[in-house]
Amino acid sequence: MSTVGEMIRKRRKILNFTQQELAGRLNISSQAVSKWENDVALPDLGLMPRLAQVLETTVDGLLGYQGAPLSKYDERYQREEFYWGLNPNQLCYDLMKLKPPARPYRVLEIGCGEGKDAVFLARCGYRVRAFDESQAGIDKAMLLAEKNGVHVDFFRANALDYHIEETYDIIYSSGFFDYIPDNMKEEFTAMLKKSTVAGGLNVLNAFVDKPFMKKKEGQQRTPWKSGELFTCYYDWLIHRCDEVIFDCNSGGVPHQHCMDVLIAQKQ
Ligand SMILES: C[S@@+](CC[C@H](N)C(=O)[O-])C[C@H]1O[C@@H](n2cnc3c(N)ncnc32)[C@H](O)[C@@H]1O
């Protein structure tokens, strides 16, 4: 497990702060930061919440406490290569056709993984906020944004207890929707609809349950019923509602998935 000093150094590097800049934000001397990072001293307890905020993490994270064990995504995202590759999802191009970035439209991405779609949209001129529950994914996404010379407001959050405060021109999510438990699906889509400005888009996909698909043991995913996602948007203008079945070879075992794809616009 990393020491507190190592965690501080790691977060500071990811955010591209010098020791002096970090010290400035905390109103302390850069020598104090240097002592922490070399494990010569620990930050005062009272300073920890502010330090965690400035380093865009949690006090638990700084103390190396991970709570639940690493998720399968954390493990995947900790590898050097990009698990989902670097090519943006086709849905990004679809949304651009409907709302080209003539203005810096505000986009929220939910379950952004390693950030490939968020970074692509930011490169195209959208103003993007994106989150995922995997810290490893967010760390990698931040580095990807930096490498591409764009700013994306990446942060770690659990979508199931995250309340969207602001409104957005576009809410986008790919591959996350079947992590929403059945009893939250309606409430969750209602929140997205409420958090979208008039004329704005929701661009979403969701895995759908089919009899020919075998459930994996202990699977946490709760696929949607065929067409269920579309019905949540009965009162919006539907630009796309497709149900697609496609082959997949993840895990080295050929199998199929079924996915509902929705692009809807608030009237
Ligand atoms: C299939 S991956 C898709 C990642 C990304 N959207 C992409 O297409 O590259 C699903 C993502 O949802 C995230 N996720 C699952 N449950 C979540 C939750 N409750 N809150 C936030 N993110 C979650 C996972 O960590 C994972 O990165």
Side-chain angles (χ1 to χ4, degrees), residues 207-223:
F207 284 102
V208 169
D209 207 5
K210 289 282 176 192
F212 59 81
M213 284 165 202
K214 289 195 196 108
K215 285 208 173 55
K216 283 191 203 144
E217 195 124 335
Q219 192 167 356
Q220 294 167 347
R221 305 177 94 145
T222 48

PDB file of all heavy atoms in Angstrom, residues 207-223:
ATOM      1  N   PHE A 207     -27.453  -2.157 -22.253  1.00  0.00           N
ATOM      2  CA  PHE A 207     -27.552  -3.574 -22.609  1.00  0.00           C
ATOM      3  C   PHE A 207     -28.948  -4.071 -22.275  1.00  0.00           C
ATOM      4  O   PHE A 207     -29.556  -3.652 -21.281  1.00  0.00           O
ATOM      5  CB  PHE A 207     -26.507  -4.391 -21.858  1.00  0.00           C
ATOM      6  CG  PHE A 207     -25.131  -4.219 -22.434  1.00  0.00           C
ATOM      7  CD1 PHE A 207     -24.200  -3.396 -21.825  1.00  0.00           C
ATOM      8  CD2 PHE A 207     -24.771  -4.867 -23.610  1.00  0.00           C
ATOM      9  CE1 PHE A 207     -22.936  -3.220 -22.371  1.00  0.00           C
ATOM     10  CE2 PHE A 207     -23.512  -4.701 -24.164  1.00  0.00           C
ATOM     11  CZ  PHE A 207     -22.601  -3.881 -23.551  1.00  0.00           C
ATOM     12  N   VAL A 208     -29.423  -4.961 -23.146  1.00  0.00           N
ATOM     13  CA  VAL A 208     -30.796  -5.453 -23.021  1.00  0.00           C
ATOM     14  C   VAL A 208     -30.763  -6.962 -22.818  1.00  0.00           C
ATOM     15  O   VAL A 208     -29.941  -7.665 -23.404  1.00  0.00           O
ATOM     16  CB  VAL A 208     -31.572  -5.089 -24.315  1.00  0.00           C
ATOM     17  CG1 VAL A 208     -32.901  -5.797 -24.372  1.00  0.00           C
ATOM     18  CG2 VAL A 208     -31.768  -3.584 -24.398  1.00  0.00           C
ATOM     19  N   ASP A 209     -31.655  -7.422 -21.965  1.00  0.00           N
ATOM     20  CA  ASP A 209     -31.752  -8.851 -21.655  1.00  0.00           C
ATOM     21  C   ASP A 209     -32.426  -9.595 -22.809  1.00  0.00           C
ATOM     22  O   ASP A 209     -33.436  -9.124 -23.321  1.00  0.00           O
ATOM     23  CB  ASP A 209     -32.617  -8.982 -20.394  1.00  0.00           C
ATOM     24  CG  ASP A 209     -32.272 -10.228 -19.625  1.00  0.00           C
ATOM     25  OD1 ASP A 209     -31.309 -10.911 -20.020  1.00  0.00           O
ATOM     26  OD2 ASP A 209     -32.974 -10.513 -18.646  1.00  0.00           O
ATOM     27  N   LYS A 210     -31.865 -10.716 -23.194  1.00  0.00           N
ATOM     28  CA  LYS A 210     -32.480 -11.557 -24.231  1.00  0.00           C
ATOM     29  C   LYS A 210     -32.356 -13.011 -23.770  1.00  0.00           C
ATOM     30  O   LYS A 210     -31.362 -13.366 -23.122  1.00  0.00           O
ATOM     31  CB  LYS A 210     -31.735 -11.400 -25.576  1.00  0.00           C
ATOM     32  CG  LYS A 210     -31.962 -10.069 -26.237  1.00  0.00           C
ATOM     33  CD  LYS A 210     -33.315 -10.019 -26.917  1.00  0.00           C
ATOM     34  CE  LYS A 210     -33.587  -8.656 -27.487  1.00  0.00           C
ATOM     35  NZ  LYS A 210     -34.947  -8.451 -27.894  1.00  0.00           N
ATOM     36  N   PRO A 211     -33.307 -13.853 -24.150  1.00  0.00           N
ATOM     37  CA  PRO A 211     -33.266 -15.238 -23.663  1.00  0.00           C
ATOM     38  C   PRO A 211     -32.003 -15.990 -24.095  1.00  0.00           C
ATOM     39  O   PRO A 211     -31.548 -16.870 -23.387  1.00  0.00           O
ATOM     40  CB  PRO A 211     -34.503 -15.877 -24.315  1.00  0.00           C
ATOM     41  CG  PRO A 211     -35.296 -14.781 -24.892  1.00  0.00           C
ATOM     42  CD  PRO A 211     -34.470 -13.552 -24.962  1.00  0.00           C
ATOM     43  N   PHE A 212     -31.411 -15.581 -25.233  1.00  0.00           N
ATOM     44  CA  PHE A 212     -30.241 -16.343 -25.706  1.00  0.00           C
ATOM     45  C   PHE A 212     -28.942 -15.921 -25.010  1.00  0.00           C
ATOM     46  O   PHE A 212     -27.884 -16.459 -25.269  1.00  0.00           O
ATOM     47  CB  PHE A 212     -30.090 -16.203 -27.231  1.00  0.00           C
ATOM     48  CG  PHE A 212     -29.932 -14.782 -27.706  1.00  0.00           C
ATOM     49  CD1 PHE A 212     -28.703 -14.140 -27.654  1.00  0.00           C
ATOM     50  CD2 PHE A 212     -31.032 -14.076 -28.202  1.00  0.00           C
ATOM     51  CE1 PHE A 212     -28.560 -12.842 -28.101  1.00  0.00           C
ATOM     52  CE2 PHE A 212     -30.891 -12.771 -28.651  1.00  0.00           C
ATOM     53  CZ  PHE A 212     -29.662 -12.151 -28.601  1.00  0.00           C
ATOM     54  N   MET A 213     -29.060 -14.962 -24.089  1.00  0.00           N
ATOM     55  CA  MET A 213     -27.835 -14.536 -23.413  1.00  0.00           C
ATOM     56  C   MET A 213     -27.727 -15.185 -22.058  1.00  0.00           C
ATOM     57  O   MET A 213     -28.642 -15.090 -21.248  1.00  0.00           O
ATOM     58  CB  MET A 213     -27.844 -13.026 -23.237  1.00  0.00           C
ATOM     59  CG  MET A 213     -27.534 -12.365 -24.512  1.00  0.00           C
ATOM     60  SD  MET A 213     -27.976 -10.674 -24.385  1.00  0.00           S
ATOM     61  CE  MET A 213     -28.145 -10.303 -26.075  1.00  0.00           C
ATOM     62  N   LYS A 214     -26.563 -15.800 -21.830  1.00  0.00           N
ATOM     63  CA  LYS A 214     -26.377 -16.473 -20.537  1.00  0.00           C
ATOM     64  C   LYS A 214     -25.946 -15.439 -19.507  1.00  0.00           C
ATOM     65  O   LYS A 214     -25.122 -14.585 -19.780  1.00  0.00           O
ATOM     66  CB  LYS A 214     -25.291 -17.546 -20.661  1.00  0.00           C
ATOM     67  CG  LYS A 214     -25.743 -18.734 -21.468  1.00  0.00           C
ATOM     68  CD  LYS A 214     -24.776 -19.897 -21.240  1.00  0.00           C
ATOM     69  CE  LYS A 214     -24.985 -20.928 -22.322  1.00  0.00           C
ATOM     70  NZ  LYS A 214     -23.912 -20.996 -23.295  1.00  0.00           N
ATOM     71  N   LYS A 215     -26.516 -15.562 -18.296  1.00  0.00           N
ATOM     72  CA  LYS A 215     -26.091 -14.657 -17.212  1.00  0.00           C
ATOM     73  C   LYS A 215     -24.842 -15.247 -16.564  1.00  0.00           C
ATOM     74  O   LYS A 215     -24.772 -16.447 -16.338  1.00  0.00           O
ATOM     75  CB  LYS A 215     -27.191 -14.556 -16.157  1.00  0.00           C
ATOM     76  CG  LYS A 215     -28.328 -13.721 -16.603  1.00  0.00           C
ATOM     77  CD  LYS A 215     -29.030 -13.089 -15.392  1.00  0.00           C
ATOM     78  CE  LYS A 215     -30.074 -12.105 -15.842  1.00  0.00           C
ATOM     79  NZ  LYS A 215     -31.062 -12.632 -16.771  1.00  0.00           N
ATOM     80  N   LYS A 216     -23.872 -14.349 -16.295  1.00  0.00           N
ATOM     81  CA  LYS A 216     -22.680 -14.849 -15.620  1.00  0.00           C
ATOM     82  C   LYS A 216     -22.952 -14.907 -14.126  1.00  0.00           C
ATOM     83  O   LYS A 216     -23.654 -14.048 -13.585  1.00  0.00           O
ATOM     84  CB  LYS A 216     -21.506 -13.908 -15.871  1.00  0.00           C
ATOM     85  CG  LYS A 216     -20.926 -14.076 -17.234  1.00  0.00           C
ATOM     86  CD  LYS A 216     -19.609 -13.311 -17.316  1.00  0.00           C
ATOM     87  CE  LYS A 216     -19.281 -12.985 -18.745  1.00  0.00           C
ATOM     88  NZ  LYS A 216     -18.647 -11.704 -18.927  1.00  0.00           N
ATOM     89  N   GLU A 217     -22.382 -15.901 -13.473  1.00  0.00           N
ATOM     90  CA  GLU A 217     -22.566 -16.049 -12.029  1.00  0.00           C
ATOM     91  C   GLU A 217     -22.081 -14.796 -11.284  1.00  0.00           C
ATOM     92  O   GLU A 217     -21.034 -14.242 -11.630  1.00  0.00           O
ATOM     93  CB  GLU A 217     -21.754 -17.258 -11.551  1.00  0.00           C
ATOM     94  CG  GLU A 217     -22.171 -17.686 -10.195  1.00  0.00           C
ATOM     95  CD  GLU A 217     -22.593 -19.153 -10.191  1.00  0.00           C
ATOM     96  OE1 GLU A 217     -23.001 -19.676 -11.234  1.00  0.00           O
ATOM     97  OE2 GLU A 217     -22.510 -19.719  -9.138  1.00  0.00           O
ATOM     98  N   GLY A 218     -22.842 -14.350 -10.318  1.00  0.00           N
ATOM     99  CA  GLY A 218     -22.441 -13.209  -9.487  1.00  0.00           C
ATOM    100  C   GLY A 218     -22.441 -11.892 -10.247  1.00  0.00           C
ATOM    101  O   GLY A 218     -21.874 -10.907  -9.800  1.00  0.00           O
ATOM    102  N   GLN A 219     -23.059 -11.867 -11.408  1.00  0.00           N
ATOM    103  CA  GLN A 219     -23.045 -10.653 -12.234  1.00  0.00           C
ATOM    104  C   GLN A 219     -23.855  -9.536 -11.565  1.00  0.00           C
ATOM    105  O   GLN A 219     -24.981  -9.755 -11.135  1.00  0.00           O
ATOM    106  CB  GLN A 219     -23.655 -10.973 -13.592  1.00  0.00           C
ATOM    107  CG  GLN A 219     -23.443  -9.895 -14.608  1.00  0.00           C
ATOM    108  CD  GLN A 219     -23.785 -10.386 -16.010  1.00  0.00           C
ATOM    109  OE1 GLN A 219     -24.105 -11.550 -16.181  1.00  0.00           O
ATOM    110  NE2 GLN A 219     -23.730  -9.523 -16.972  1.00  0.00           N
ATOM    111  N   GLN A 220     -23.229  -8.345 -11.489  1.00  0.00           N
ATOM    112  CA  GLN A 220     -23.914  -7.223 -10.829  1.00  0.00           C
ATOM    113  C   GLN A 220     -24.788  -6.460 -11.803  1.00  0.00           C
ATOM    114  O   GLN A 220     -25.537  -5.588 -11.432  1.00  0.00           O
ATOM    115  CB  GLN A 220     -22.882  -6.230 -10.287  1.00  0.00           C
ATOM    116  CG  GLN A 220     -22.037  -6.763  -9.177  1.00  0.00           C
ATOM    117  CD  GLN A 220     -20.870  -5.818  -8.944  1.00  0.00           C
ATOM    118  OE1 GLN A 220     -20.583  -4.928  -9.739  1.00  0.00           O
ATOM    119  NE2 GLN A 220     -20.175  -6.021  -7.847  1.00  0.00           N
ATOM    120  N   ARG A 221     -24.651  -6.755 -13.073  1.00  0.00           N
ATOM    121  CA  ARG A 221     -25.329  -5.929 -14.068  1.00  0.00           C
ATOM    122  C   ARG A 221     -26.819  -6.260 -14.105  1.00  0.00           C
ATOM    123  O   ARG A 221     -27.224  -7.397 -13.893  1.00  0.00           O
ATOM    124  CB  ARG A 221     -24.708  -6.162 -15.436  1.00  0.00           C
ATOM    125  CG  ARG A 221     -23.220  -5.915 -15.411  1.00  0.00           C
ATOM    126  CD  ARG A 221     -22.611  -6.202 -16.728  1.00  0.00           C
ATOM    127  NE  ARG A 221     -22.537  -4.977 -17.503  1.00  0.00           N
ATOM    128  CZ  ARG A 221     -21.563  -4.673 -18.331  1.00  0.00           C
ATOM    129  NH1 ARG A 221     -20.582  -5.493 -18.523  1.00  0.00           N
ATOM    130  NH2 ARG A 221     -21.564  -3.543 -18.986  1.00  0.00           N
ATOM    131  N   THR A 222     -27.609  -5.243 -14.370  1.00  0.00           N
ATOM    132  CA  THR A 222     -29.050  -5.449 -14.489  1.00  0.00           C
ATOM    133  C   THR A 222     -29.488  -4.912 -15.841  1.00  0.00           C
ATOM    134  O   THR A 222     -29.832  -3.734 -15.976  1.00  0.00           O
ATOM    135  CB  THR A 222     -29.813  -4.715 -13.352  1.00  0.00           C
ATOM    136  OG1 THR A 222     -29.309  -3.390 -13.277  1.00  0.00           O
ATOM    137  CG2 THR A 222     -29.673  -5.404 -12.027  1.00  0.00           C
ATOM    138  N   PRO A 223     -29.431  -5.783 -16.874  1.00  0.00           N
ATOM    139  CA  PRO A 223     -29.782  -5.334 -18.217  1.00  0.00           C
ATOM    140  C   PRO A 223     -31.204  -4.814 -18.265  1.00  0.00           C
ATOM    141  O   PRO A 223     -32.037  -5.171 -17.422  1.00  0.00           O
ATOM    142  CB  PRO A 223     -29.652  -6.599 -19.067  1.00  0.00           C
ATOM    143  CG  PRO A 223     -29.063  -7.643 -18.213  1.00  0.00           C
ATOM    144  CD  PRO A 223     -29.129  -7.212 -16.800  1.00  0.00           C
TER     145      PRO A 223
END
